[in-house]
Amino acid sequence: MTEHGMLPLVHLLKVTTSSKVIHKLLELLNVILHNGSSVVCETACLLGVIPAVLHFVEPHNPQPTRLEAARFAHMMCTRSELTLQMFVACYGLPALVQLLLSPAG
């Protein structure tokens, strides 16, 4: 997927309110990034995908959504040194702490 296809995905993550749609968007994003090269991940980072996804690590989100956000975070931390640096620069460390918190009940 080129960066032109990534922009609508990032935009939808920012504006969509449906939990089911958000979960599916995160699944799609994770598949794209997992199957792409580190350059695809780095380009996605430059297009603003990290802040768009980190919003979904918070405990008030449904567990499946948080799981997909955690998969994304893992990918950003392990894909390349550059994606890790961008993840940390986008407040990724507090997001990792949020993943450790119990879901709101």
Side-chain angles (χ1 to χ4, degrees), residues 52-63:
V53 173
L54 291 187
H55 172 72
F56 302 110
V57 301
E58 297 173 6
H60 64 82
N61 288 299
Q63 195 65 23

Side-chain angles (χ1 to χ4, degrees), residues 22-23 26 30 53 55-73 95-104:
I22 290 168
H23 179 250
L26 289 173
N30 283 333
V53 173
H55 172 72
F56 302 110
V57 301
E58 297 173 6
H60 64 82
N61 288 299
Q63 195 65 23
T65 300
R66 292 183 77 211
L67 180 60
E68 290 302 323
R71 287 181 177 136
F72 171 84
L96 294 176
V97 172
Q98 288 290 314
L99 284 169
L100 297 174
L101 298 176
S102 297

